[in-house]
Every structure is written in structure tokens, then in C-alpha cells.
Amino acid sequence: MSFRIDPRAPLTVEVRRIAHEELDKIAAYLDAARDDPDKALHKARRRLKNLRALLHLVRPGAEAFCRGENDRYRDIARSIAGPRQASALIETVDRLADDFPEEAKAAGLGAIRLSLVRHRAETTYGEAGLAATLDAALSECTVGRIALETLTLPDSPEAAADVLAEGALGTLRRARRGLEQARERGEAEDFHELRKAVKTHGAHLSLLRKLWPSPVKPRRERIDMLGESLGELHDIFVMRALIEAHEAPFDEAPEQKSLMKVMKRSEKVLRKLCLTSAEDLFEEKPRRVARRLAHKARDGLAEAAADGKAEPSTGK
């Protein structure tokens, strides 16, 4: 099947189906992580974000359930985050070397990269620790599967459309707030909040592909590009914080002034790019978008329901 709500099926059935499919993929990646933790855990975390985005979308129809299950999958994602952060630091150094080759050489990024690779090898879960973490995550996924059978959402076309519109509206408002804070204060956490909202909105575009009131593909492509840029900026913020706090793997590193200078240049470019892109994508008022979504969703869900009840043709 697909990560997309089919208007021909009741909303409860569709949400359960999509959630079960995402849990299947998450479990497969967690199992694969026993042999290749870096790549497999990264993929598992991406699927966990998809699952949480689904819960955010339908939360207006089952507030307590979605809040509790969102917390479950957030905690799983945090438990497997260690190796991914170590890899993100290495990827950040590689981007800086590509974008600013002369400055990167002066900053000694080659030596810093080797240090980061050693750090990743040392801090990635040991065999026993990784196995225990994966077993716990898989156990929680099993509990989540069982919990899904208790989920009940409004299934009438009108009520289901309202749930989807309100869920999408919440994320659009969150993105607007994140943009305003990033523009006005510009703190790392402001851009991080914007990034999370953008990622969730991107997942909602996929889920609502058949119901979104405007062409989805071009908007999704732009959202993905913004998400990538915000991710790169987030990695810069994380590395800068580690350097300033003298935390591993930078606690015993030599003078980092040259590295900080390169990072500052990259940060300036990324800040401007992210703000410009976000302003363009979220310039329309969220409530106006939600009204159009609700209207199209009602029509689409009602039409699908009517088609499902129609008598099959006898050919006479």
C-alpha cells in the first residue's frame, strides 16, 4: 500500500493501515540495525517521524490516544538517536569542506573529520547496549500495534474532513510561529521548531495527496528542500554548541577558531536561505488553507463514500 490516506476507506481503517505499515518498516530497520546501526537507525527514525506526523494529523479526532502514542514513538526515536548525531557531525564537516574548500583546509577539517569518525566508533552502542536498546524499541512497537486496535476516529465524510483539516491547520500554525520566532529572535531552538513543523507538514502533504487543495508535488519538493536546508543549519548549531561547551568529541581538540569561522559563513548563508524559503511557503494564512482543505476533503470523502455504496452495474 502507500503512505497516503485513501478517501474510499473509513478514516479509522486507513489510519490503522498506515500506522501498521510504518511499524512494519520500523521493526525491519531496527532488526537490520543489529548489523548496520548507522544507516538502519537513521531510516527507522525517519519512519518514526512519519508515524508521529500521522498521529498529529488525526489528533483532533482522538486527542488522548494520539498524544500518548506520539510520546511513545518520540521516546523510541530518542533512544536510538546517538549514532545518528555522530554521523551528522561528520556530514557537516564534509559539507563545509565542499562549500568552503580553501577555508576548510586552513581549519584542518581533515584532522577534525578523523577525530569525529573515531568518536562515532567509540560512542556507538556496544554490542550489549545496542541489542538491549533495539529489543526495548521493538517491544514498544509491539505495544503500539496492540494499542492501534483501540483507535476510533470519526468516519463520516463531514467529521473526517474536519479532523484532517484541523490536524493540518495545527501544523501550519506551528510552522508560522516557528518562522516568526526564527525571523525575530533567530535562536537555534527557533529554527529547530520550524524544522520540525516543516517535516511534519511534508508528511501531511503525502498523507493528503488526494485531498490537498492545491498541486502537491511542487509544494512537496520545495518543502523537502527547505527541510534539508534546515537540517544542515541544525547540524551547524549542534556542532557549534559542542565546541563552545568543550564537549566530546571537541573536548580535547586543538584551537577551533578557524572551524568556527567557516561554520559562521555557512550559518549565515543557510539562515537567509531558510527564512526566504519558509516565508514563501507559509505566506498564506493557515486558516484559509485549512478551509479549502476541509471543503475539498468533504467533497472527496463524500464522493468516495457514495461510489462505494453505488449498486454495481448489471450491464442490462
Side-chain angles (χ1 to χ4, degrees):
M1 299 295 286
S2 63
F3 188 72
R4 183 184 309 167
I5 292 173
D6 187 341
R8 295 171 298 179
L11 184 59
T12 301
V13 172
E14 275 298 274
V15 171
R16 287 182 183 177
R17 173 189 66 79
I18 294 169
H20 277 298
E21 289 177 1
E22 291 303 303
L23 283 168
D24 286 344
K25 293 169 185 174
I26 292 165
Y29 288 133
L30 291 174
D31 278 331
R34 300 183 192 280
D35 298 320
D36 186 2
D38 184 36
K39 291 183 179 179
L41 291 180
H42 179 48
K43 291 179 179 178
R45 279 169 53 80
R46 289 177 63 181
R47 290 295 174 178
L48 284 162
K49 289 178 182 177
N50 277 355
L51 186 50
R52 294 178 64 197
L54 174 64
L55 292 169
H56 278 291
L57 182 61
V58 299
R59 191 163 76 176
E63 179 73 29
F65 176 90
C66 292
R67 187 181 296 277
E69 292 306 293
N70 177 68
D71 290 347
R72 181 195 310 284
Y73 299 121
R74 178 202 61 203
D75 292 344
I76 293 175
R78 287 177 177 174
S79 74
I80 61 175
R84 180 55 201 159
Q85 178 173 306
S87 295
L89 293 174
I90 296 170
E91 292 167 6
T92 299
V93 168
D94 290 341
R95 284 195 297 270
L96 292 173
D98 289 339
D99 294 342
F100 309 100
E102 294 184 7
E103 293 89 339
K105 185 177 181 180
L109 290 195
I112 292 173
R113 190 185 194 282
L114 289 174
S115 176
L116 292 173
V117 170
R118 287 195 299 269
H119 173 72
R120 181 175 63 181
E122 293 168 357
T123 57
T124 297
Y125 306 109
E127 185 175 347
L130 175 59
T133 299
L134 294 175
D135 288 343
L138 285 165
S139 178
E140 281 299 305
C141 287
T142 298
V143 176
R145 288 179 187 278
I146 296 170
L148 275 173
E149 301 311 308
T150 69
L151 171 64
T152 302
L153 293 164
D155 287 325
S156 71
E158 296 81 6
D162 288 342
V163 166
L164 297 175
E166 283 300 310
L169 174 61
T171 296
L172 288 169
R173 282 176 169 168
R174 184 181 174 195
R176 281 286 292 264
R177 287 195 300 269
L179 170 60
E180 290 169 2
Q181 292 282 33
R183 189 165 46 203
E184 294 171 8
R185 297 194 315 172
E187 299 293 336
E189 58 266 29
D190 300 325
F191 281 95
H192 187 47
E193 285 300 312
L194 174 59
R195 179 194 179 204
K196 290 190 291 186
V198 166
K199 289 286 187 180
T200 301
H201 177 58
H204 288 178
L205 290 176
S206 294
L207 288 164
L208 298 169
R209 185 171 179 177
K210 294 186 176 181
L211 300 171
W212 193 258
S214 59
V216 170
K217 187 176 179 180
R219 183 175 180 85
R220 181 60 199 264
E221 290 174 349
R222 293 165 64 201
I223 285 290
D224 287 346
M225 291 176 63
L226 174 57
E228 287 296 318
S229 297
L230 285 166
E232 292 177 9
L233 182 58
H234 174 70
D235 292 341
I236 290 286
F237 288 143
V238 170
M239 182 175 282
R240 185 180 67 188
L242 290 172
I243 293 172
E244 292 175 346
H246 302 289
E247 293 185 13
F250 301 101
D251 48 344
E252 297 180 359
E255 180 63 49
Q256 302 292 336
K257 287 184 178 179
S258 297
L259 173 58
M260 291 288 277
K261 183 178 179 180
V262 178
M263 290 169 57
K264 187 174 182 180
R265 286 191 61 187
S266 179
E267 179 184 329
K268 182 178 180 180
V269 172
L270 286 168
R271 279 176 176 268
K272 183 177 180 180
L273 175 62
C274 291
L275 288 175
T276 300
S277 298
E279 287 168 354
D280 184 38
L281 282 162
F282 299 108
E283 62 181 348
E284 188 173 7
K285 293 183 179 180
R287 175 57 73 179
R288 187 178 301 167
V289 178
R291 281 198 298 265
R292 294 207 314 272
L293 171 59
H295 179 73
K296 184 170 182 180
R298 279 192 204 99
D299 289 347
L301 292 167
E303 182 179 349
D307 288 344
K309 294 177 182 178
E311 291 292 333
S313 173
T314 62
K316 294 182 180 180

